[in-house]
């Protein structure tokens, strides 16, 4: 991660934490929650050459959460994100690369990748997907 932070171009790229806002009844069963996450990632296939992300399902049944930490080219939310059918069901939090707390969150999402072992923001990592 040291290499990433030393070489990160904050003027050319943005880092965002993405959180899915569950509807009532969602996030209770792991395989169904995985399907929701996979659908989000599949709809961004055309965005691969501009972005990198670690997206996952975190927590325990019946309180599963879908979250991810992403970096993409440009300043702000790109049209590939804004045009998603599920855009309105997600919260986007811009990370400040100069803020030590935000850096720690990025490091946590991008280094705690062992499913059913590691925790991220206090929640067990259940399913982890790489978007590259």
């Amino acid at each position: 991660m040291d290499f990433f932070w030393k070489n990160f171009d904050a003027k050319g790229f943005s880092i965002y934490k993405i959180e899915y806002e569950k509807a009532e009844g969602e996030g209770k069963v792991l395989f169904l929650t995985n399907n929701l996450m996979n659908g989000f990632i599949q709809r961004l296939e055309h965005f691969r050459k501009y972005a990198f992300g670690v997206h996952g399902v975190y927590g325990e049944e019946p309180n599963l959460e879908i979250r991810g930490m992403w970096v993409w080219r440009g300043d702000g939310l790109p049209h590939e994100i804004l045009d998603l059918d599920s855009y309105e069901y997600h919260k986007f939090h811009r990370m400040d690369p100069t803020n030590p707390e935000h850096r720690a969150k990025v490091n946590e999402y991008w280094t705690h990748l062992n499913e059913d072992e590691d925790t991220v923001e206090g929640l067990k990592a259940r399913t982890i997907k790489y978007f590259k």
Side-chain angles (χ1 to χ4, degrees), residues 7-15 50-51 71-76 94 97:
N7 293 285
F8 180 69
D9 174 14
K11 292 182 179 152
F13 290 83
S14 302
I15 303 172
Y50 305 109
V71 61
W72 51 66
R73 187 180 304 165
D75 185 34
R94 186 162 188 166

Side-chain angles (χ1 to χ4, degrees), residues 12-101:
F13 290 83
S14 302
I15 303 172
Y16 276 83
K17 177 183 171 189
I18 302 174
E19 294 179 279
Y20 177 71
E21 294 182 332
K22 299 181 294 188
E24 190 173 331
E26 291 181 332
K28 294 184 185 286
V29 180
L30 183 59
F31 82 90
L32 294 174
T33 308
N34 285 341
N35 289 347
L36 280 171
M37 177 188 63
N38 289 333
F40 173 78
I41 290 171
Q42 285 175 345
R43 285 185 209 83
L44 287 170
E45 186 64 35
H46 61 288
F47 193 41
R48 283 197 187 275
K49 69 181 184 179
Y50 305 109
F52 169 80
V54 172
H55 212 73
V57 175
Y58 300 91
E60 297 288 345
E61 292 178 341
N63 296 310
L64 298 165
E65 302 287 338
I66 301 172
R67 299 177 176 174
M69 192 66 71
W70 292 63
V71 61
W72 51 66
R73 187 180 304 165
D75 185 34
L77 294 173
H79 71 87
E80 289 88 352
I81 295 287
L82 297 171
D83 291 344
L84 285 175
D85 293 341
S86 63
Y87 167 76
E88 64 207 41
Y89 303 109
H90 291 83
K91 285 195 263 182
F92 297 87
H93 308 279
R94 186 162 188 166
M95 299 286 111
D96 178 358
T98 63
N99 182 326
E101 290 177 16

